[in-house]
């Protein structure tokens, strides 16, 4: 049966539409119309004047609801995914911090099982490490960090097809072979936890490193070495126009002034918002999954306060930070949680915008940007309206 969502401001690829409707059948959008006339065969749903926007796509998230994806079990995955979906994440790329090969295999097996289920929100697996610069390890587990190992990554890329992105420090020996191998297997190699300068970043970009992980975090900017000045990874990424970036828009990892700078120079087309959330996100937990990590000031830190270690952010918080603290238009913040990450990860043909034929992934904010409703693949995850919604539209 059709469901017609009425009485809201709809974000379309062309901009805001007022006085229209979104029509859903099962897990698909069958029409986005500029007409509010009731379709006789459809149930109607009153959006009560809310903003109706595409569902959030989190391409970097470690866990939530008290569970971490490094656990590798279906139970842990289900708990973390459900926790984030309640706050506006309708599609997700589970992320592993630097891990051993058996840990990656276990998580890949679980990812395959979940992706095979109907209407799954899981888009694949994201490996953050272990090929990082030890000096920029941050909250990564140091016992797993090493240089690119062809035996390991060839094995893993042959073992599974669910790895969609893999982060690495491009100054490490073996970067070029690693990047080329990732691209050959349909995996996006990304710049992360690095001290790379322009020649490193440019060489990596040429073989497929087109994305920078948690931009500004675990990477240097402009700096001096003795009497001479050098560009950092940050400036190098800015200098390559087509490189995309992701930022942790929790208002803690990157200050609002820098978020505004990223928006100004990379723009909403090349900037994705991520949570980089740890297990304690979207939960009442006061402890992190990693015993070295504490929760303080609304963010996760290493206990010695030498580095940030991840966030407790949820998708709705990212939007509020960018609009209320940074001051960007709501439509751009929404594109940065939906359309842009969909393009980066290669799922933009079916996700990321409210258009005919795309997946029925929809979230709704009231005028104060409080999240009121979440619909993922036609399934109602959250509904705080007075109008009832069935568990599956």
């Amino acid at each position: 049966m059709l469901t017609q969502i009425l009485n809201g401001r709809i974000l379309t690829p062309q901009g805001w539409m007022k006085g229209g409707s979104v029509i859903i059948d099962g897990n698909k959008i069958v029409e986005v119309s500029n007409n509010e006339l009731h379709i006789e065969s459809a149930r109607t749903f009153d959006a009560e004047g809310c903003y109706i926007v595409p569902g959030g796509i989190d391409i970097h998230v470690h866990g939530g609801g008290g569970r971490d994806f490094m656990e590798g079990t279906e139970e842990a995955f289900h708990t973390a995914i459900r926790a984030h979906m309640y706050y506006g994440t309708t599609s997700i790329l589970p992320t592993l911090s630097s891990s051993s090969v058996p840990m990656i295999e276990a998580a890949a097996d679980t990812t395959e099982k979940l992706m095979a289920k109907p209407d799954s929100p899981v888009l694949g697996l994201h490996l953050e490490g272990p090929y990082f610069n030890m000096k920029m390890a941050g909250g990564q587990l140091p016992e797993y960090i090493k240089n690119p190992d062809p035996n390991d990554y060839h094995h893993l890329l042959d073992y599974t097809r669910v790895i969609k992105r893999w982060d690495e420090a491009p100054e490490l020996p073996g970067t070029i072979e690693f990047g080329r191998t990732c691209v050959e297997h349909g995996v996006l190699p990304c710049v992360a936890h690095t001290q790379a300068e322009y020649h490193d970043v440019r060489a990596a970009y040429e073989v497929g490193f087109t994305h920078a992980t948690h931009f500004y975090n675990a990477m240097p900017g402009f700096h001096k070495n003795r009497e001479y000045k050098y560009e950092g990874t940050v400036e190098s990424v800015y200098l390559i126009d087509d490189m995309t970036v992701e930022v942790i828009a929790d208002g803690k990892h990157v200050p609002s002034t820098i978020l505004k700078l990223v928006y100004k120079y990379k723009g909403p087309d090349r900037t994705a918002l991520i949570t980089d959330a740890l297990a304690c996100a979207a939960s009442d937990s006061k402890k992190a999954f990693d015993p070295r990590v504490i929760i303080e000031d609304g963010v996760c830190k290493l206990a010695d306060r030498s580095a940030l270690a991840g966030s407790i952010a949820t998708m709705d918080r990212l939007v509020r930070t960018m609009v209320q603290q940074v001051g960007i238009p709501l439509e751009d913040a929404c594109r940065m949680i939906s359309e842009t990450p969909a393009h980066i990860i290669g799922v933009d043909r079916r996700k990321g915008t409210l258009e005919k034929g795309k997946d029925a992934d929809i979230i709704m904010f009231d005028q104060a940007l409080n999240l009121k409703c979440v619909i993922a693949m036609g399934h109602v995850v959250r509904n705080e309206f007075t109008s009832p919604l069935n568990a599956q539209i």
Side-chain angles (χ1 to χ4, degrees):
M1 185 176 184
L2 298 178
T3 296
Q4 186 178 19
I5 303 173
L6 304 162
N7 189 24
R9 293 190 66 193
I10 305 164
L11 182 60
T12 74
Q14 293 75 39
W16 291 108
M17 178 191 294
K18 187 176 181 180
S21 61
V22 180
I23 304 156
I24 299 170
D25 186 10
N27 61 9
K28 293 292 182 182
I29 297 170
V30 295
E31 194 65 67
V32 179
S33 171
N34 59 5
N35 197 323
E36 275 193 320
L37 289 176
H38 175 224
I39 299 172
E40 187 174 342
S41 61
R43 297 172 297 187
T44 59
F45 174 71
D46 184 358
E48 300 179 1
C50 281
Y51 300 105
I52 304 170
V53 303
I57 301 173
D58 199 346
I59 61 174
H60 187 153
V61 52
H62 295 274
R67 304 304 292 268
D68 194 288
F69 294 121
M70 287 180 74
E71 296 177 63
T73 66
E74 289 188 58
E75 181 187 1
F77 271 58
H78 279 302
T79 299
I81 291 166
R82 281 196 301 266
H84 279 284
M85 290 180 76
Y86 186 77
Y87 292 95
T89 296
T90 56
S91 299
I92 195 165
L93 202 62
T95 301
L96 299 189
S97 295
S98 296
S99 305
S100 66
V101 169
M103 293 168 69
I104 296 171
E105 289 175 342
D109 291 343
T110 296
T111 302
E112 287 180 2
K113 291 177 183 177
L114 297 187
M115 290 180 72
K117 295 184 177 182
D119 299 335
S120 174
V122 181
L123 301 177
L125 190 63
H126 167 208
L127 302 183
E128 189 184 7
Y131 310 136
F132 287 154
N133 188 318
M134 184 66 78
K135 294 179 181 178
M136 304 300 288
Q140 299 282 321
L141 293 170
E143 59 265 34
Y144 295 123
I145 294 177
K146 59 182 178 179
N147 290 337
D149 185 335
N151 291 326
D152 286 354
Y153 65 73
H154 277 284
H155 164 72
L156 287 166
L157 292 173
D158 289 336
Y159 178 83
T160 182
R161 294 292 181 267
V162 301
I163 300 171
K164 300 302 179 184
R165 57 174 289 196
W166 200 332
D167 302 349
E168 190 249 12
E171 70 272 26
L172 298 180
T175 288
I176 301 305
E177 180 187 350
F178 171 74
R180 285 175 176 159
T181 304
C182 282
V183 171
E184 288 169 1
H185 285 78
V187 177
L188 174 66
C190 308
V191 173
H193 290 269
T194 175
Q195 290 186 327
E197 295 176 355
Y198 182 74
H199 65 281
D200 300 310
V201 177
R202 186 77 213 190
Y205 172 78
E206 296 295 341
V207 298
F209 285 76
T210 59
H211 185 70
T213 298
H214 47 46
F215 194 41
Y216 275 94
N217 292 109
M219 60 181 64
F222 175 79
H223 59 280
K224 284 183 67 176
N225 185 358
R226 293 174 60 89
E227 69 272 33
Y228 293 109
K229 301 173 181 68
Y230 295 87
E231 78 290 341
T233 310
V234 169
E235 290 80 14
S236 302
V237 171
Y238 275 130
L239 285 169
I240 302 174
D241 291 340
D242 289 338
M243 278 198 79
T244 56
V245 302
E246 61 188 41
V247 288
I248 309 169
D250 62 352
K252 300 292 182 178
H253 276 76
V254 185
S256 60
T257 50
I258 297 299
L259 289 172
K260 187 175 292 187
L261 183 67
V262 176
Y263 172 76
K264 180 177 181 178
Y265 286 102
K266 282 296 182 181
D269 292 336
R270 293 187 176 90
T271 307
L273 307 183
I274 60 163
T275 64
D276 194 16
L278 301 188
C280 46
S283 77
D284 296 327
S285 175
K286 303 301 180 184
K287 292 184 178 180
F289 178 73
D290 186 338
R292 304 172 304 150
V293 173
I294 60 171
I295 305 169
E296 184 178 72
D297 302 327
V299 72
C300 297
K301 309 175 183 178
L302 292 182
D304 64 2
R305 297 174 177 82
S306 61
L308 298 179
S311 88
I312 57 173
T314 50
M315 188 62 66
D316 56 334
R317 178 175 167 185
L318 307 183
V319 172
R320 286 193 293 272
T321 296
M322 295 302 292
V323 175
Q324 297 173 350
Q325 296 183 31
V326 181
I328 76 169
L330 174 61
E331 58 266 34
D332 285 347
C334 291
R335 289 178 61 204
M336 291 159 75
I337 66 164
S338 56
E339 184 178 348
T340 303
H343 175 72
I344 290 169
I345 213 65
V347 295
D348 45 320
R349 288 188 176 183
R350 63 186 184 95
K351 293 185 180 290
T353 55
L354 301 183
E355 293 182 87
K356 180 179 180 179
K358 291 201 171 182
D359 292 343
D361 294 336
I362 301 169
I363 57 179
M364 303 181 209
F365 291 98
D366 67 14
Q367 298 301 309
L369 299 187
N370 298 307
L371 188 63
K372 300 291 287 185
C373 185
V374 179
I375 300 169
M377 293 293 289
H379 296 266
V380 179
V381 179
R382 175 174 182 160
N383 178 28
E384 296 185 2
F385 290 116
T386 55
S387 299
L389 274 172
N390 293 333
Q392 182 175 10
I393 292 175

